[in-house]
Amino acid sequence: MRIIQLYTPQPASKKKDEKKKEKKAVAPEDVVCDLLPVPIVIDEYFAEKRDVIAAAEELLGQNEAQLAELVEEQADNYLDEDNFPDSKMTDANVKKRIKALDKRTDAEEIAVLQKYLDLKGDISLNKKLIKERKYDLLTALVVKYADLSEAEIKRLVIEKKWFTSLALRLDCEMQRISQQLTSKVLALAERYAQTLPEIDADITDLEAKVAAHLKQMGY
């Protein structure tokens, strides 16, 4: 009889206080399965959903970076908090300022303020979509875990979990050995940079110089 159990990770404090409300899973990262890790099941059956979420998160990161850059560039100019009521740059205050500005003479400031609002809107929308897509993936995961056959579980655990782990360890070990061999080869190459004939030639040359000096000294 097979048992695949998903559980929600709890902080250490949770274990000490059983009366606290249990955290509700809302995304794939909120659940864990020790036997068959969640990422393996996602990669095997829900790669498309995973990629869509990853793309949305990348776009979110870009929008947040653009917003941070805009705020930094305009902190002492159009996005100076002192430009807004009560020195608070809220969305409502930004919209009020846009309405109060002249479309001709203040076109540049309006463009900056509108870009600020647009970026914040895109960020809010992206966060909402990511949350929805993650919950959709979580729902699909729960259903999939319940439907997995014993043969599927064995295949995934052996091929995707154990083999992958062993391959990673083997690759790390091979890299370690390769680095050690490279280091030893370089040390040997440095130690034996001069060939024996070259050393013999140097010795002969030095002997001739010493003999010449001795001859000059009368020996």
Side-chain angles (χ1 to χ4, degrees), residues 163-174:
F163 281 2
T164 300
S165 177
L166 288 173
L168 180 60
R169 291 182 183 181
L170 180 60
D171 183 61
C172 290
E173 183 64 16
M174 290 177 65

Side-chain angles (χ1 to χ4, degrees), residues 119-132:
L119 285 171
K120 289 201 67 177
D122 290 342
I123 290 172
S124 178
L125 179 60
N126 273 340
K127 286 183 176 180
K128 180 180 178 182
L129 291 175
I130 290 171
K131 184 177 180 180
E132 291 175 350

Side-chain angles (χ1 to χ4, degrees), residues 26-62:
V26 296
E29 55 265 30
D30 293 334
V31 295
V32 174
C33 179
D34 292 331
L35 175 61
L36 183 55
V38 171
I40 291 178
V41 178
I42 292 176
D43 291 344
E44 185 71 12
Y45 300 104
F46 305 107
E48 185 175 347
K49 290 179 180 292
R50 175 205 62 200
D51 292 343
V52 169
I53 292 173
E57 289 178 331
E58 183 178 357
L59 180 59
L60 173 61
Q62 292 174 357

Side-chain angles (χ1 to χ4, degrees), residues 161-214:
K161 181 181 178 181
W162 292 346
F163 281 2
T164 300
S165 177
L166 288 173
L168 180 60
R169 291 182 183 181
L170 180 60
D171 183 61
C172 290
E173 183 64 16
M174 290 177 65
Q175 289 186 17
R176 185 185 67 82
I177 294 174
S178 176
Q179 289 174 354
Q180 286 183 343
L181 288 174
T182 300
S183 178
K184 289 180 179 180
V185 169
L186 290 174
L188 288 171
E190 183 177 352
R191 181 180 301 176
Y192 300 106
Q194 280 187 298
T195 64
L196 186 57
E198 289 175 338
I199 294 175
D200 288 339
D202 288 342
I203 292 174
T204 301
D205 183 54
L206 289 173
E207 287 178 343
K209 289 181 179 179
V210 170
H213 285 303
L214 290 173

Side-chain angles (χ1 to χ4, degrees), residues 5 12 39 48 54 63-64 66 76 104 128-129 131 134 136-137 184 189 200 204 211 219:
Q5 182 178 5
E48 185 175 347
N63 287 338
E64 289 178 333
Q66 291 175 10
D76 297 324
R104 292 183 179 179
K128 180 180 178 182
L129 291 175
K131 184 177 180 180
K134 282 190 173 183
D136 175 64
L137 176 55
K184 289 180 179 180
D200 288 339
T204 301
Y219 292 99

